[in-house]
């Protein structure tokens, strides 16, 4: 009966033993960062903040208008006129400049948040990795004690 239990246990754990993989800490951290929902969200936030910054910078560009004209008198072409006009109004409390400053600050904040999430995920994976190593060591010690 005992032999049957051992065979049953071996058959039960055989797939886990056969398909088990060994992971290094760096591999686990890389996998965690790639598959983290928070990291993907923060990456998109950085892209959005960079787009908002570009949009804010474009609001300061001056207005440009051009014109080109020809006159015709009694069937003959006369003068050719052209014009170029560039204008922009600037005020001391221009809201566009505050918008640009805010966009720069938002972009920097999003990058810092991204790095903070990255560090937290790596730290949590490291803690779990250490816990697994400790559990493996405890199992080894118990097995050695059991042999004695």
């Amino acid at each position: 009966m005992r032999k049957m239990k051992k065979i049953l246990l071996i058959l039960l754990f055989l797939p886990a033993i056969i398909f088990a993989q060994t992971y290094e800490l760096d591999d686990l951290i890389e996998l965690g960062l790639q598959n983290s929902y928070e990291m993907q969200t923060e990456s998109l936030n950085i892209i959005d903040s960079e787009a908002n910054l570009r949009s804010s910078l474009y609001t300061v560009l001056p207005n440009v208008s051009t014109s080109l004209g020809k006159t015709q008198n009694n069937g003959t072409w006369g003068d050719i006129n052209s014009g170029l006009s560039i204008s922009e109004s600037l005020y001391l409390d221009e809201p566009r400049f505050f918008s640009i400053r805010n966009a720069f600050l938002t972009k920097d904040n999003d990058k810092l948040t991204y790095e903070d999430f990255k560090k937290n995920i790596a730290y949590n994976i490291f803690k779990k990795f250490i816990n697994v190593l400790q559990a493996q060591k405890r199992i080894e010690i118990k097995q050695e004690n059991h042999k004695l």
Side-chain angles (χ1 to χ4, degrees), residues 93-135:
D93 59 347
E94 183 65 47
R96 293 177 292 177
F97 293 119
F98 293 114
S99 174
I100 292 170
R101 183 172 187 271
N102 187 33
F104 271 114
L105 293 174
T106 301
K107 183 183 122 188
D108 292 342
N109 187 38
D110 286 345
K111 285 184 177 180
L112 290 173
T113 303
Y114 177 84
E115 290 299 320
D116 191 39
F117 271 109
K118 190 175 178 180
K119 289 176 187 175
N120 283 336
I121 289 171
Y123 176 71
N124 287 333
I125 291 171
F126 176 74
K127 277 189 350 185
K128 292 180 191 302
F129 187 76
I130 294 298
N131 290 340
V132 168
L133 291 178
Q134 288 174 339

Side-chain angles (χ1 to χ4, degrees), residues 30-91:
E30 188 65 34
L31 280 172
L33 292 175
Q34 287 174 358
N35 297 323
S36 170
Y37 175 75
E38 290 88 6
M39 292 302 294
Q40 293 171 1
T41 302
E42 289 303 318
S43 178
L44 291 175
N45 285 345
I46 290 173
I47 292 169
D48 285 346
S49 64
E50 288 172 346
N52 288 337
L53 175 61
R54 282 191 300 275
S55 178
S56 295
L57 289 172
Y58 292 149
T59 63
V60 185
L61 293 176
N63 298 321
V64 178
S65 62
T66 60
S67 62
L68 180 64
K70 267 185 172 181
T71 58
Q72 184 177 12
N73 292 329
N74 297 330
T76 61
W77 290 101
D79 297 331
I80 297 175
N81 299 318
S82 64
L84 173 67
S85 173
I86 300 174
S87 65
E88 183 60 57
S89 300
L90 297 176
Y91 303 100

